[in-house]
Amino acid sequence: MSRDHRRTTRPRLATTGVALLSMLALAGCAAPLPEPAPEPVPAVPPPAVSVDQSQRVLASVGEVLAAADAAADPAGLPARLDGPALATRTAEYVWAQATGGARPPTALPVDEQVLVVPETDTWPRTQLVVSEQPDDLQAPRVLVLRQESAREPYKLWGWARLLQNVQMPPTAAPEEGSPELPPDAEGLLVPPGEVGARYADVLTHGDGSEHAASFAPDSFRSTVQETRSALASSLQGAGAGALTETYVPAAEPVVTLGTADGGALVVTEMTTTSTVTLAGGATIPVEPFYAALAGGATTAGTSFSRVFTGVLVVYVPPADAGAPAQVLAAEHVVTSAAAQ
C-alpha cells in the first residue's frame, strides 16, 4: 500500500476571536487533504517466486545433496528434501553401499533449463524445474520443489526423468507464473484428480484398460509391463510361484499447473507393490540391497515384496484438442522390501 509521506503543518491557534473566526471560515473552504489509497489489485496473483529466488533455492538444495552424497549419509537430507525425494535418496544410499559404490545415487543437476512457477498467494506452493542434462548424459530431470508454508523453506519433494521422445508443453514465463488448477478442473481431457487412478489402471490392464485410449504410449509404461511379464513368466516356468503387482496413486496430485495451450501439467505420486508368492517349497536369495531394506533377511521362502516410490509428470491436453494425455517424466525406485 502506498503512503503519502508529505508533512503537513498545523496552523497555530489564534489568540483573538476574529482570527479564530477567520481560520474557521478558511477551513470550511479548503480542499480536503489527500488520503492514502491502496495499490490496484492485480487481475491474477503474482508469481509465487522470482527467477532469482528459484535459483537460490536450487543452489541450497544442491549444497545439501552434495554434502549428503559425499558421506552417503541421509541425516542432513531433511533440511532440503521431503516426500518421495527423501525416501528415494535414502534408499539410493543403501543401494550404493550394498554394491560397493557400483550404483551411485541418481545425478540431480540443479542448473535449470525451464522454470514453471505457480501464480498464487497461498500455500503450499509447488514449482517445477527442468534441469540441464546430467554429466553422465542421462535424461534431464524434472525437479519438484515445494514450500509448505511461508515460514518453511522450499524443499525437493520429488524428481522424475524426462522420457524418450517427449517435449515439455509451452508454459507461462516464470516472471508471470502459471495458474494452479484444482483436482476437479474442467475443460481437460482427464480431470487432474483422476489422472493417477486412470493411469494406474492402464499400467495394470494395458490396452485392455477402459482408459488406455486416453494415454499415449510411453517408455515408462512399456518398461514396467515388460519387466512384470518377464518376471511372472520366469516364476511360472520354474514352478516357483506367482507375481502380483499393484499400482496405487496418491489421493490427489501434488500440483496441477496450467499450460499456455489450455492444458495442464499434473504431478502425482505412485506407489507400486510387487510381491512374489513362492510355492512348492521354493526359496529365492535376497540381494544385499534388498536384504538391507528387509532387515537383513538373505532368503525368502514364503514371499518377497518390494515397494517402489514413483513420481509422474503428465501432460493433459484440453478436452477438445483431439490428443491423448502424455506421461512426460517418471521415476520408479525401490524404497522398501520385505522377505518371509
Side-chain angles (χ1 to χ4, degrees), residues 3 33 35 40 42 55 57 61 115 130 161 170-171 174 212 238 268 280 330 333:
R3 297 181 178 177
L33 293 174
E35 297 181 359
Q55 291 171 340
V57 167
V61 169
L115 293 175
V130 180
R161 304 166 195 248
T171 53
T268 192
V333 175

Side-chain angles (χ1 to χ4, degrees), residues 4-92:
D4 193 331
H5 295 293
R6 292 177 294 174
R7 295 184 179 179
T8 59
T9 58
R10 296 182 179 177
R12 296 181 181 179
L13 291 175
T15 57
T16 67
V18 174
L20 181 59
L21 290 173
S22 299
M23 290 180 65
L24 289 174
L26 289 171
C29 298
L33 293 174
E35 297 181 359
E39 295 286 352
V41 177
V44 296
V49 63
S50 69
V51 173
D52 286 345
Q53 289 172 325
S54 291
Q55 291 171 340
R56 289 196 295 271
V57 167
L58 288 168
S60 296
V61 169
E63 290 171 1
V64 168
L65 282 169
D69 289 355
D73 184 353
L77 291 178
R80 282 294 186 172
L81 272 71
D82 198 8
L86 180 59
T88 299
R89 202 56 157 196
T90 300
E92 287 184 332

Side-chain angles (χ1 to χ4, degrees), residues 233-322:
S233 297
S234 175
L235 289 167
Q236 185 177 14
L243 172 71
T244 57
E245 281 195 353
T246 59
Y247 310 95
V248 180
E252 62 181 39
V254 67
V255 72
T256 300
L257 296 173
T259 57
D261 61 359
L265 288 171
V266 179
V267 181
T268 192
E269 184 177 0
M270 180 81 72
T271 301
T272 300
T273 302
S274 179
T275 301
V276 173
T277 302
L278 299 169
T283 62
I284 57 174
V286 178
E287 297 179 22
F289 165 62
Y290 297 126
L293 293 178
T298 58
T299 303
T302 302
S303 66
F304 176 61
S305 296
R306 297 171 297 161
V307 176
F308 295 77
T309 295
V311 174
L312 299 172
V313 181
V314 184
Y315 167 65
V316 180
D320 59 359

Side-chain angles (χ1 to χ4, degrees), residues 193-218:
E194 296 182 24
V195 168
R198 294 189 187 187
Y199 187 70
D201 192 74
V202 175
L203 287 176
T204 302
H205 301 292
D207 292 340
S209 168
E210 62 178 310
H211 304 298
S214 297
F215 294 89
D218 64 80

